[in-house]
Amino acid sequence: MSKEQSAIRTTYFSILSNAGLAIIKGLAGFLGNSYALIADAIESTTDVFSSILVLLGLTYAKRPADKNHPYGHGKIEPLITFIVVAFLVTSATVIAYESILHIQTPHKVPEPWTLLVLGGIIIWKEISFQIVIKKSKETNSSSLKADAWHHRSDAITSVMAFIGISIALIFKEGYETADDWAALFASVFILYNSYLIFRPALGEIMDEHVYDDLIEEIREKSLEVEGVLGTEKCFVRKAGMRYHVDLHAIVDSNITVKEGHEIAHKLKDYLREKLPDLGHVLIHIEPNEY
């Protein structure tokens, strides 16, 4: 299975998981008098739509390079990540606003059984996070990573809700709004996670230099190719799940242009064989003396 197919399959898992949990949380929150659970349901609902966007983005990103997109369509991924972050920020804002309204409005203490629902949700969302974040690392997908952090932020809001409802049940009168405060604090965590997701995607769009380990590996592998005496400049930029490389390779200044051309092709093929995550590899030949 290709990386693209693996990422798409993982996104289907996220969509089904979030849809199921949104229904469970919404019903439990309504029947159990817990706005923290309702806030959780709101976030899971936005997660469904954001996961659908991730799916569409991954499907588009796997399209092959064409005349208008010689480097492929991978840049759609960080753009989709920006939209996912917008969903997160929107849900956090709605949760915060509704929490403040509920804090100001007297209401019943949440039902004790809502804690059992939350306990199951927390465990499942953390498992979901681990599954999706593992796939995001395997596929180098920034949008899948954002989807994974949706699961983690959902788990965090559920933990906060669990704490809030526990306080309300233990201390009873006067602490009815504890789960509302929990939802409000959870919205802050969601905003913080939004920044953690947004920052790497911005770096990807801006071709930020953050690939020192990969560059070092490229330099080491280059020296294994016959005729390559060393390397000079090496630039890496990411597009989707692939890394595009511009590399200056040093060769003997006495060889012919044809021989230098052959070394460049061998180096390109060797790097793409040894480092399958590489996309376009552009080799510039430099003489070892002037």
Side-chain angles (χ1 to χ4, degrees), residues 35-40 91-104 156-158 160-161 164 177-192:
Y35 181 69
L37 263 172
I38 294 175
D40 249 359
S91 65
T93 303
V94 171
I95 290 170
Y97 175 75
E98 293 292 335
S99 297
I100 292 171
L101 290 182
H102 279 73
I103 288 171
Q104 297 172 341
I156 290 172
T157 56
S158 296
M160 297 300 291
T177 60
D179 74 317
D180 302 315
W181 281 102
L184 182 59
F185 286 124
S187 67
V188 176
F189 278 104
I190 295 171
L191 289 174
Y192 176 66

PDB file of all heavy atoms in Angstrom, residues 35-40 91-104 156-158 160-161 164 177-192:
ATOM      1  N   TYR A  35     -22.932  20.459  29.906  1.00  0.00           N
ATOM      2  CA  TYR A  35     -22.543  21.231  28.733  1.00  0.00           C
ATOM      3  C   TYR A  35     -21.129  20.870  28.292  1.00  0.00           C
ATOM      4  O   TYR A  35     -20.796  21.000  27.116  1.00  0.00           O
ATOM      5  CB  TYR A  35     -22.628  22.740  28.976  1.00  0.00           C
ATOM      6  CG  TYR A  35     -22.241  23.478  27.722  1.00  0.00           C
ATOM      7  CD1 TYR A  35     -23.072  23.437  26.607  1.00  0.00           C
ATOM      8  CD2 TYR A  35     -21.020  24.127  27.617  1.00  0.00           C
ATOM      9  CE1 TYR A  35     -22.706  24.044  25.426  1.00  0.00           C
ATOM     10  CE2 TYR A  35     -20.647  24.742  26.437  1.00  0.00           C
ATOM     11  CZ  TYR A  35     -21.492  24.699  25.350  1.00  0.00           C
ATOM     12  OH  TYR A  35     -21.130  25.274  24.167  1.00  0.00           O
ATOM     13  N   ALA A  36     -20.287  20.413  29.214  1.00  0.00           N
ATOM     14  CA  ALA A  36     -18.933  20.011  28.827  1.00  0.00           C
ATOM     15  C   ALA A  36     -18.994  18.894  27.789  1.00  0.00           C
ATOM     16  O   ALA A  36     -18.214  18.864  26.830  1.00  0.00           O
ATOM     17  CB  ALA A  36     -18.147  19.555  30.048  1.00  0.00           C
ATOM     18  N   LEU A  37     -19.941  17.970  27.961  1.00  0.00           N
ATOM     19  CA  LEU A  37     -20.107  16.895  26.984  1.00  0.00           C
ATOM     20  C   LEU A  37     -20.696  17.430  25.680  1.00  0.00           C
ATOM     21  O   LEU A  37     -20.318  16.994  24.589  1.00  0.00           O
ATOM     22  CB  LEU A  37     -21.016  15.807  27.556  1.00  0.00           C
ATOM     23  CG  LEU A  37     -20.304  14.601  28.184  1.00  0.00           C
ATOM     24  CD1 LEU A  37     -21.299  13.694  28.887  1.00  0.00           C
ATOM     25  CD2 LEU A  37     -19.529  13.824  27.134  1.00  0.00           C
ATOM     26  N   ILE A  38     -21.605  18.373  25.786  1.00  0.00           N
ATOM     27  CA  ILE A  38     -22.166  18.989  24.581  1.00  0.00           C
ATOM     28  C   ILE A  38     -21.069  19.745  23.818  1.00  0.00           C
ATOM     29  O   ILE A  38     -21.002  19.704  22.587  1.00  0.00           O
ATOM     30  CB  ILE A  38     -23.329  19.932  24.944  1.00  0.00           C
ATOM     31  CG1 ILE A  38     -24.494  19.120  25.521  1.00  0.00           C
ATOM     32  CG2 ILE A  38     -23.788  20.724  23.726  1.00  0.00           C
ATOM     33  CD1 ILE A  38     -25.647  19.955  26.029  1.00  0.00           C
ATOM     34  N   ALA A  39     -20.192  20.418  24.575  1.00  0.00           N
ATOM     35  CA  ALA A  39     -19.055  21.110  23.954  1.00  0.00           C
ATOM     36  C   ALA A  39     -18.156  20.111  23.241  1.00  0.00           C
ATOM     37  O   ALA A  39     -17.657  20.374  22.141  1.00  0.00           O
ATOM     38  CB  ALA A  39     -18.259  21.860  25.012  1.00  0.00           C
ATOM     39  N   ASP A  40     -17.975  18.959  23.873  1.00  0.00           N
ATOM     40  CA  ASP A  40     -17.207  17.885  23.250  1.00  0.00           C
ATOM     41  C   ASP A  40     -17.859  17.445  21.946  1.00  0.00           C
ATOM     42  O   ASP A  40     -17.176  17.172  20.949  1.00  0.00           O
ATOM     43  CB  ASP A  40     -17.129  16.689  24.218  1.00  0.00           C
ATOM     44  CG  ASP A  40     -15.724  16.477  24.746  1.00  0.00           C
ATOM     45  OD1 ASP A  40     -14.827  17.241  24.355  1.00  0.00           O
ATOM     46  OD2 ASP A  40     -15.514  15.548  25.542  1.00  0.00           O
ATOM     47  N   SER A  91     -14.388  26.175  16.637  1.00  0.00           N
ATOM     48  CA  SER A  91     -15.027  25.347  17.665  1.00  0.00           C
ATOM     49  C   SER A  91     -14.635  25.805  19.059  1.00  0.00           C
ATOM     50  O   SER A  91     -15.460  25.830  19.976  1.00  0.00           O
ATOM     51  CB  SER A  91     -14.672  23.872  17.468  1.00  0.00           C
ATOM     52  OG  SER A  91     -13.289  23.639  17.650  1.00  0.00           O
ATOM     53  N   ALA A  92     -13.361  26.199  19.242  1.00  0.00           N
ATOM     54  CA  ALA A  92     -12.906  26.679  20.548  1.00  0.00           C
ATOM     55  C   ALA A  92     -13.640  27.958  20.935  1.00  0.00           C
ATOM     56  O   ALA A  92     -14.024  28.151  22.097  1.00  0.00           O
ATOM     57  CB  ALA A  92     -11.398  26.930  20.517  1.00  0.00           C
ATOM     58  N   THR A  93     -13.855  28.830  19.960  1.00  0.00           N
ATOM     59  CA  THR A  93     -14.557  30.088  20.217  1.00  0.00           C
ATOM     60  C   THR A  93     -16.017  29.843  20.608  1.00  0.00           C
ATOM     61  O   THR A  93     -16.539  30.445  21.557  1.00  0.00           O
ATOM     62  CB  THR A  93     -14.505  30.992  18.974  1.00  0.00           C
ATOM     63  OG1 THR A  93     -13.136  31.221  18.608  1.00  0.00           O
ATOM     64  CG2 THR A  93     -15.171  32.332  19.246  1.00  0.00           C
ATOM     65  N   VAL A  94     -16.674  28.932  19.874  1.00  0.00           N
ATOM     66  CA  VAL A  94     -18.071  28.599  20.180  1.00  0.00           C
ATOM     67  C   VAL A  94     -18.181  27.978  21.566  1.00  0.00           C
ATOM     68  O   VAL A  94     -19.068  28.329  22.355  1.00  0.00           O
ATOM     69  CB  VAL A  94     -18.637  27.639  19.115  1.00  0.00           C
ATOM     70  CG1 VAL A  94     -20.011  27.113  19.544  1.00  0.00           C
ATOM     71  CG2 VAL A  94     -18.738  28.334  17.765  1.00  0.00           C
ATOM     72  N   ILE A  95     -17.266  27.060  21.877  1.00  0.00           N
ATOM     73  CA  ILE A  95     -17.280  26.408  23.185  1.00  0.00           C
ATOM     74  C   ILE A  95     -17.073  27.430  24.301  1.00  0.00           C
ATOM     75  O   ILE A  95     -17.771  27.409  25.329  1.00  0.00           O
ATOM     76  CB  ILE A  95     -16.194  25.314  23.248  1.00  0.00           C
ATOM     77  CG1 ILE A  95     -16.584  24.135  22.357  1.00  0.00           C
ATOM     78  CG2 ILE A  95     -15.984  24.836  24.691  1.00  0.00           C
ATOM     79  CD1 ILE A  95     -15.478  23.116  22.163  1.00  0.00           C
ATOM     80  N   ALA A  96     -16.129  28.340  24.120  1.00  0.00           N
ATOM     81  CA  ALA A  96     -15.857  29.365  25.134  1.00  0.00           C
ATOM     82  C   ALA A  96     -17.077  30.257  25.347  1.00  0.00           C
ATOM     83  O   ALA A  96     -17.463  30.551  26.486  1.00  0.00           O
ATOM     84  CB  ALA A  96     -14.643  30.194  24.724  1.00  0.00           C
ATOM     85  N   TYR A  97     -17.693  30.689  24.246  1.00  0.00           N
ATOM     86  CA  TYR A  97     -18.862  31.576  24.324  1.00  0.00           C
ATOM     87  C   TYR A  97     -20.018  30.887  25.054  1.00  0.00           C
ATOM     88  O   TYR A  97     -20.623  31.460  25.975  1.00  0.00           O
ATOM     89  CB  TYR A  97     -19.282  31.989  22.919  1.00  0.00           C
ATOM     90  CG  TYR A  97     -20.554  32.806  22.864  1.00  0.00           C
ATOM     91  CD1 TYR A  97     -20.554  34.144  23.248  1.00  0.00           C
ATOM     92  CD2 TYR A  97     -21.755  32.224  22.442  1.00  0.00           C
ATOM     93  CE1 TYR A  97     -21.719  34.898  23.208  1.00  0.00           C
ATOM     94  CE2 TYR A  97     -22.925  32.967  22.405  1.00  0.00           C
ATOM     95  CZ  TYR A  97     -22.897  34.300  22.789  1.00  0.00           C
ATOM     96  OH  TYR A  97     -24.052  35.031  22.755  1.00  0.00           O
ATOM     97  N   GLU A  98     -20.326  29.651  24.641  1.00  0.00           N
ATOM     98  CA  GLU A  98     -21.431  28.922  25.256  1.00  0.00           C
ATOM     99  C   GLU A  98     -21.139  28.587  26.718  1.00  0.00           C
ATOM    100  O   GLU A  98     -22.040  28.572  27.561  1.00  0.00           O
ATOM    101  CB  GLU A  98     -21.716  27.645  24.467  1.00  0.00           C
ATOM    102  CG  GLU A  98     -22.266  27.874  23.063  1.00  0.00           C
ATOM    103  CD  GLU A  98     -23.663  28.468  23.081  1.00  0.00           C
ATOM    104  OE1 GLU A  98     -24.380  28.275  24.088  1.00  0.00           O
ATOM    105  OE2 GLU A  98     -24.034  29.145  22.105  1.00  0.00           O
ATOM    106  N   SER A  99     -19.874  28.321  27.025  1.00  0.00           N
ATOM    107  CA  SER A  99     -19.490  28.025  28.412  1.00  0.00           C
ATOM    108  C   SER A  99     -19.772  29.214  29.317  1.00  0.00           C
ATOM    109  O   SER A  99     -20.303  29.070  30.422  1.00  0.00           O
ATOM    110  CB  SER A  99     -18.006  27.654  28.488  1.00  0.00           C
ATOM    111  OG  SER A  99     -17.729  26.483  27.774  1.00  0.00           O
ATOM    112  N   ILE A 100     -19.409  30.401  28.842  1.00  0.00           N
ATOM    113  CA  ILE A 100     -19.633  31.624  29.627  1.00  0.00           C
ATOM    114  C   ILE A 100     -21.129  31.840  29.858  1.00  0.00           C
ATOM    115  O   ILE A 100     -21.554  32.200  30.968  1.00  0.00           O
ATOM    116  CB  ILE A 100     -19.005  32.831  28.912  1.00  0.00           C
ATOM    117  CG1 ILE A 100     -17.472  32.700  28.915  1.00  0.00           C
ATOM    118  CG2 ILE A 100     -19.412  34.136  29.591  1.00  0.00           C
ATOM    119  CD1 ILE A 100     -16.760  33.724  28.058  1.00  0.00           C
ATOM    120  N   LEU A 101     -21.941  31.583  28.831  1.00  0.00           N
ATOM    121  CA  LEU A 101     -23.393  31.722  28.983  1.00  0.00           C
ATOM    122  C   LEU A 101     -23.929  30.745  30.020  1.00  0.00           C
ATOM    123  O   LEU A 101     -24.777  31.105  30.852  1.00  0.00           O
ATOM    124  CB  LEU A 101     -24.089  31.493  27.638  1.00  0.00           C
ATOM    125  CG  LEU A 101     -23.896  32.564  26.553  1.00  0.00           C
ATOM    126  CD1 LEU A 101     -24.693  32.191  25.307  1.00  0.00           C
ATOM    127  CD2 LEU A 101     -24.327  33.936  27.059  1.00  0.00           C
ATOM    128  N   HIS A 102     -23.444  29.492  29.985  1.00  0.00           N
ATOM    129  CA  HIS A 102     -23.920  28.486  30.928  1.00  0.00           C
ATOM    130  C   HIS A 102     -23.444  28.777  32.350  1.00  0.00           C
ATOM    131  O   HIS A 102     -24.148  28.470  33.319  1.00  0.00           O
ATOM    132  CB  HIS A 102     -23.461  27.094  30.485  1.00  0.00           C
ATOM    133  CG  HIS A 102     -24.311  26.493  29.417  1.00  0.00           C
ATOM    134  ND1 HIS A 102     -24.279  26.927  28.111  1.00  0.00           N
ATOM    135  CD2 HIS A 102     -25.242  25.499  29.463  1.00  0.00           C
ATOM    136  CE1 HIS A 102     -25.127  26.221  27.390  1.00  0.00           C
ATOM    137  NE2 HIS A 102     -25.734  25.355  28.181  1.00  0.00           N
ATOM    138  N   ILE A 103     -22.270  29.363  32.482  1.00  0.00           N
ATOM    139  CA  ILE A 103     -21.767  29.709  33.815  1.00  0.00           C
ATOM    140  C   ILE A 103     -22.686  30.738  34.473  1.00  0.00           C
ATOM    141  O   ILE A 103     -22.918  30.713  35.688  1.00  0.00           O
ATOM    142  CB  ILE A 103     -20.324  30.258  33.714  1.00  0.00           C
ATOM    143  CG1 ILE A 103     -19.354  29.114  33.380  1.00  0.00           C
ATOM    144  CG2 ILE A 103     -19.893  30.936  35.019  1.00  0.00           C
ATOM    145  CD1 ILE A 103     -17.956  29.568  33.039  1.00  0.00           C
ATOM    146  N   GLN A 104     -23.241  31.612  33.651  1.00  0.00           N
ATOM    147  CA  GLN A 104     -24.111  32.678  34.160  1.00  0.00           C
ATOM    148  C   GLN A 104     -25.552  32.207  34.364  1.00  0.00           C
ATOM    149  O   GLN A 104     -26.370  32.940  34.921  1.00  0.00           O
ATOM    150  CB  GLN A 104     -24.089  33.855  33.182  1.00  0.00           C
ATOM    151  CG  GLN A 104     -22.719  34.498  33.042  1.00  0.00           C
ATOM    152  CD  GLN A 104     -22.664  35.533  31.931  1.00  0.00           C
ATOM    153  OE1 GLN A 104     -23.508  35.543  31.036  1.00  0.00           O
ATOM    154  NE2 GLN A 104     -21.678  36.416  31.994  1.00  0.00           N
ATOM    155  N   ILE A 156      -8.316  15.908  25.369  1.00  0.00           N
ATOM    156  CA  ILE A 156      -8.056  16.920  26.404  1.00  0.00           C
ATOM    157  C   ILE A 156      -9.360  17.537  26.907  1.00  0.00           C
ATOM    158  O   ILE A 156      -9.571  17.688  28.108  1.00  0.00           O
ATOM    159  CB  ILE A 156      -7.115  18.019  25.860  1.00  0.00           C
ATOM    160  CG1 ILE A 156      -5.711  17.456  25.663  1.00  0.00           C
ATOM    161  CG2 ILE A 156      -7.068  19.218  26.821  1.00  0.00           C
ATOM    162  CD1 ILE A 156      -4.760  18.394  24.948  1.00  0.00           C
ATOM    163  N   THR A 157     -10.249  17.890  25.966  1.00  0.00           N
ATOM    164  CA  THR A 157     -11.533  18.466  26.384  1.00  0.00           C
ATOM    165  C   THR A 157     -12.340  17.464  27.197  1.00  0.00           C
ATOM    166  O   THR A 157     -13.041  17.837  28.145  1.00  0.00           O
ATOM    167  CB  THR A 157     -12.363  18.928  25.165  1.00  0.00           C
ATOM    168  OG1 THR A 157     -12.550  17.829  24.270  1.00  0.00           O
ATOM    169  CG2 THR A 157     -11.681  20.058  24.428  1.00  0.00           C
ATOM    170  N   SER A 158     -12.215  16.184  26.855  1.00  0.00           N
ATOM    171  CA  SER A 158     -12.931  15.153  27.612  1.00  0.00           C
ATOM    172  C   SER A 158     -12.353  15.005  29.016  1.00  0.00           C
ATOM    173  O   SER A 158     -13.093  14.788  29.983  1.00  0.00           O
ATOM    174  CB  SER A 158     -12.872  13.812  26.870  1.00  0.00           C
ATOM    175  OG  SER A 158     -13.545  13.891  25.638  1.00  0.00           O
ATOM    176  N   MET A 160     -10.897  17.408  30.696  1.00  0.00           N
ATOM    177  CA  MET A 160     -11.355  18.582  31.428  1.00  0.00           C
ATOM    178  C   MET A 160     -12.813  18.426  31.859  1.00  0.00           C
ATOM    179  O   MET A 160     -13.197  18.807  32.975  1.00  0.00           O
ATOM    180  CB  MET A 160     -11.198  19.829  30.555  1.00  0.00           C
ATOM    181  CG  MET A 160      -9.762  20.157  30.163  1.00  0.00           C
ATOM    182  SD  MET A 160      -8.687  20.459  31.578  1.00  0.00           S
ATOM    183  CE  MET A 160      -9.342  22.006  32.173  1.00  0.00           C
ATOM    184  N   ALA A 161     -13.624  17.865  30.970  1.00  0.00           N
ATOM    185  CA  ALA A 161     -15.026  17.635  31.306  1.00  0.00           C
ATOM    186  C   ALA A 161     -15.149  16.635  32.454  1.00  0.00           C
ATOM    187  O   ALA A 161     -15.974  16.813  33.362  1.00  0.00           O
ATOM    188  CB  ALA A 161     -15.777  17.109  30.084  1.00  0.00           C
ATOM    189  N   GLY A 164     -14.314  18.464  35.609  1.00  0.00           N
ATOM    190  CA  GLY A 164     -15.372  19.404  35.962  1.00  0.00           C
ATOM    191  C   GLY A 164     -16.599  18.713  36.523  1.00  0.00           C
ATOM    192  O   GLY A 164     -17.161  19.141  37.548  1.00  0.00           O
ATOM    193  N   THR A 177     -21.650  24.655  38.056  1.00  0.00           N
ATOM    194  CA  THR A 177     -21.035  25.169  36.822  1.00  0.00           C
ATOM    195  C   THR A 177     -19.603  24.661  36.606  1.00  0.00           C
ATOM    196  O   THR A 177     -18.926  25.128  35.688  1.00  0.00           O
ATOM    197  CB  THR A 177     -21.004  26.714  36.843  1.00  0.00           C
ATOM    198  OG1 THR A 177     -20.228  27.158  37.966  1.00  0.00           O
ATOM    199  CG2 THR A 177     -22.415  27.278  36.937  1.00  0.00           C
ATOM    200  N   ALA A 178     -19.159  23.719  37.419  1.00  0.00           N
ATOM    201  CA  ALA A 178     -17.768  23.242  37.319  1.00  0.00           C
ATOM    202  C   ALA A 178     -17.462  22.674  35.941  1.00  0.00           C
ATOM    203  O   ALA A 178     -16.376  22.894  35.389  1.00  0.00           O
ATOM    204  CB  ALA A 178     -17.491  22.197  38.393  1.00  0.00           C
ATOM    205  N   ASP A 179     -18.448  21.919  35.380  1.00  0.00           N
ATOM    206  CA  ASP A 179     -18.166  21.347  34.052  1.00  0.00           C
ATOM    207  C   ASP A 179     -18.175  22.420  32.970  1.00  0.00           C
ATOM    208  O   ASP A 179     -17.539  22.280  31.920  1.00  0.00           O
ATOM    209  CB  ASP A 179     -19.141  20.216  33.728  1.00  0.00           C
ATOM    210  CG  ASP A 179     -20.524  20.719  33.373  1.00  0.00           C
ATOM    211  OD1 ASP A 179     -21.008  21.632  34.054  1.00  0.00           O
ATOM    212  OD2 ASP A 179     -21.117  20.175  32.415  1.00  0.00           O
ATOM    213  N   ASP A 180     -18.906  23.536  33.209  1.00  0.00           N
ATOM    214  CA  ASP A 180     -18.879  24.647  32.257  1.00  0.00           C
ATOM    215  C   ASP A 180     -17.515  25.338  32.272  1.00  0.00           C
ATOM    216  O   ASP A 180     -16.984  25.728  31.227  1.00  0.00           O
ATOM    217  CB  ASP A 180     -19.975  25.665  32.601  1.00  0.00           C
ATOM    218  CG  ASP A 180     -21.360  25.039  32.606  1.00  0.00           C
ATOM    219  OD1 ASP A 180     -21.655  24.283  31.657  1.00  0.00           O
ATOM    220  OD2 ASP A 180     -22.119  25.281  33.550  1.00  0.00           O
ATOM    221  N   TRP A 181     -16.977  25.502  33.465  1.00  0.00           N
ATOM    222  CA  TRP A 181     -15.626  26.049  33.582  1.00  0.00           C
ATOM    223  C   TRP A 181     -14.615  25.110  32.910  1.00  0.00           C
ATOM    224  O   TRP A 181     -13.660  25.562  32.276  1.00  0.00           O
ATOM    225  CB  TRP A 181     -15.253  26.252  35.048  1.00  0.00           C
ATOM    226  CG  TRP A 181     -15.836  27.495  35.644  1.00  0.00           C
ATOM    227  CD1 TRP A 181     -16.922  27.598  36.466  1.00  0.00           C
ATOM    228  CD2 TRP A 181     -15.358  28.834  35.446  1.00  0.00           C
ATOM    229  NE1 TRP A 181     -17.159  28.909  36.794  1.00  0.00           N
ATOM    230  CE2 TRP A 181     -16.222  29.696  36.180  1.00  0.00           C
ATOM    231  CE3 TRP A 181     -14.315  29.386  34.712  1.00  0.00           C
ATOM    232  CZ2 TRP A 181     -16.043  31.077  36.219  1.00  0.00           C
ATOM    233  CZ3 TRP A 181     -14.144  30.767  34.745  1.00  0.00           C
ATOM    234  CH2 TRP A 181     -14.990  31.598  35.479  1.00  0.00           C
ATOM    235  N   ALA A 182     -14.853  23.804  33.055  1.00  0.00           N
ATOM    236  CA  ALA A 182     -13.968  22.829  32.413  1.00  0.00           C
ATOM    237  C   ALA A 182     -13.991  22.992  30.898  1.00  0.00           C
ATOM    238  O   ALA A 182     -12.949  22.946  30.228  1.00  0.00           O
ATOM    239  CB  ALA A 182     -14.393  21.411  32.790  1.00  0.00           C
ATOM    240  N   ALA A 183     -15.187  23.203  30.343  1.00  0.00           N
ATOM    241  CA  ALA A 183     -15.308  23.408  28.901  1.00  0.00           C
ATOM    242  C   ALA A 183     -14.589  24.684  28.474  1.00  0.00           C
ATOM    243  O   ALA A 183     -13.960  24.738  27.410  1.00  0.00           O
ATOM    244  CB  ALA A 183     -16.782  23.476  28.506  1.00  0.00           C
ATOM    245  N   LEU A 184     -14.669  25.722  29.321  1.00  0.00           N
ATOM    246  CA  LEU A 184     -14.001  26.987  29.010  1.00  0.00           C
ATOM    247  C   LEU A 184     -12.484  26.813  28.987  1.00  0.00           C
ATOM    248  O   LEU A 184     -11.804  27.281  28.065  1.00  0.00           O
ATOM    249  CB  LEU A 184     -14.385  28.042  30.052  1.00  0.00           C
ATOM    250  CG  LEU A 184     -13.812  29.459  29.844  1.00  0.00           C
ATOM    251  CD1 LEU A 184     -14.251  30.024  28.502  1.00  0.00           C
ATOM    252  CD2 LEU A 184     -14.245  30.372  30.981  1.00  0.00           C
ATOM    253  N   PHE A 185     -11.949  26.118  29.993  1.00  0.00           N
ATOM    254  CA  PHE A 185     -10.510  25.854  30.018  1.00  0.00           C
ATOM    255  C   PHE A 185     -10.092  24.979  28.834  1.00  0.00           C
ATOM    256  O   PHE A 185      -9.010  25.148  28.266  1.00  0.00           O
ATOM    257  CB  PHE A 185     -10.104  25.190  31.330  1.00  0.00           C
ATOM    258  CG  PHE A 185     -10.081  26.120  32.510  1.00  0.00           C
ATOM    259  CD1 PHE A 185     -10.829  25.858  33.647  1.00  0.00           C
ATOM    260  CD2 PHE A 185      -9.315  27.278  32.480  1.00  0.00           C
ATOM    261  CE1 PHE A 185     -10.810  26.728  34.735  1.00  0.00           C
ATOM    262  CE2 PHE A 185      -9.284  28.151  33.554  1.00  0.00           C
ATOM    263  CZ  PHE A 185     -10.041  27.877  34.687  1.00  0.00           C
ATOM    264  N   ALA A 186     -10.965  24.034  28.471  1.00  0.00           N
ATOM    265  CA  ALA A 186     -10.657  23.149  27.337  1.00  0.00           C
ATOM    266  C   ALA A 186     -10.516  23.954  26.048  1.00  0.00           C
ATOM    267  O   ALA A 186      -9.679  23.629  25.191  1.00  0.00           O
ATOM    268  CB  ALA A 186     -11.755  22.101  27.184  1.00  0.00           C
ATOM    269  N   SER A 187     -11.316  25.004  25.892  1.00  0.00           N
ATOM    270  CA  SER A 187     -11.233  25.828  24.684  1.00  0.00           C
ATOM    271  C   SER A 187      -9.860  26.491  24.562  1.00  0.00           C
ATOM    272  O   SER A 187      -9.347  26.685  23.452  1.00  0.00           O
ATOM    273  CB  SER A 187     -12.331  26.891  24.680  1.00  0.00           C
ATOM    274  OG  SER A 187     -12.131  27.849  25.704  1.00  0.00           O
ATOM    275  N   VAL A 188      -9.255  26.818  25.714  1.00  0.00           N
ATOM    276  CA  VAL A 188      -7.904  27.404  25.701  1.00  0.00           C
ATOM    277  C   VAL A 188      -6.896  26.374  25.195  1.00  0.00           C
ATOM    278  O   VAL A 188      -6.000  26.686  24.394  1.00  0.00           O
ATOM    279  CB  VAL A 188      -7.511  27.901  27.107  1.00  0.00           C
ATOM    280  CG1 VAL A 188      -6.073  28.423  27.102  1.00  0.00           C
ATOM    281  CG2 VAL A 188      -8.467  28.995  27.571  1.00  0.00           C
ATOM    282  N   PHE A 189      -7.036  25.123  25.644  1.00  0.00           N
ATOM    283  CA  PHE A 189      -6.147  24.057  25.179  1.00  0.00           C
ATOM    284  C   PHE A 189      -6.291  23.843  23.673  1.00  0.00           C
ATOM    285  O   PHE A 189      -5.308  23.605  22.966  1.00  0.00           O
ATOM    286  CB  PHE A 189      -6.459  22.747  25.916  1.00  0.00           C
ATOM    287  CG  PHE A 189      -5.821  22.642  27.270  1.00  0.00           C
ATOM    288  CD1 PHE A 189      -6.573  22.826  28.419  1.00  0.00           C
ATOM    289  CD2 PHE A 189      -4.475  22.358  27.413  1.00  0.00           C
ATOM    290  CE1 PHE A 189      -6.006  22.729  29.674  1.00  0.00           C
ATOM    291  CE2 PHE A 189      -3.878  22.264  28.661  1.00  0.00           C
ATOM    292  CZ  PHE A 189      -4.646  22.449  29.800  1.00  0.00           C
ATOM    293  N   ILE A 190      -7.519  23.925  23.198  1.00  0.00           N
ATOM    294  CA  ILE A 190      -7.758  23.742  21.768  1.00  0.00           C
ATOM    295  C   ILE A 190      -7.062  24.839  20.959  1.00  0.00           C
ATOM    296  O   ILE A 190      -6.446  24.575  19.921  1.00  0.00           O
ATOM    297  CB  ILE A 190      -9.274  23.734  21.466  1.00  0.00           C
ATOM    298  CG1 ILE A 190      -9.935  22.533  22.131  1.00  0.00           C
ATOM    299  CG2 ILE A 190      -9.519  23.696  19.959  1.00  0.00           C
ATOM    300  CD1 ILE A 190     -11.451  22.557  22.065  1.00  0.00           C
ATOM    301  N   LEU A 191      -7.134  26.075  21.438  1.00  0.00           N
ATOM    302  CA  LEU A 191      -6.463  27.183  20.762  1.00  0.00           C
ATOM    303  C   LEU A 191      -4.952  26.989  20.738  1.00  0.00           C
ATOM    304  O   LEU A 191      -4.287  27.256  19.730  1.00  0.00           O
ATOM    305  CB  LEU A 191      -6.814  28.509  21.444  1.00  0.00           C
ATOM    306  CG  LEU A 191      -8.246  29.007  21.254  1.00  0.00           C
ATOM    307  CD1 LEU A 191      -8.497  30.240  22.111  1.00  0.00           C
ATOM    308  CD2 LEU A 191      -8.514  29.319  19.781  1.00  0.00           C
ATOM    309  N   TYR A 192      -4.407  26.500  21.849  1.00  0.00           N
ATOM    310  CA  TYR A 192      -2.964  26.253  21.915  1.00  0.00           C
ATOM    311  C   TYR A 192      -2.564  25.156  20.927  1.00  0.00           C
ATOM    312  O   TYR A 192      -1.562  25.283  20.209  1.00  0.00           O
ATOM    313  CB  TYR A 192      -2.574  25.858  23.334  1.00  0.00           C
ATOM    314  CG  TYR A 192      -1.112  25.481  23.475  1.00  0.00           C
ATOM    315  CD1 TYR A 192      -0.111  26.426  23.300  1.00  0.00           C
ATOM    316  CD2 TYR A 192      -0.738  24.170  23.771  1.00  0.00           C
ATOM    317  CE1 TYR A 192       1.232  26.093  23.424  1.00  0.00           C
ATOM    318  CE2 TYR A 192       0.599  23.816  23.892  1.00  0.00           C
ATOM    319  CZ  TYR A 192       1.576  24.780  23.718  1.00  0.00           C
ATOM    320  OH  TYR A 192       2.893  24.428  23.831  1.00  0.00           O
TER     321      TYR A 192
END
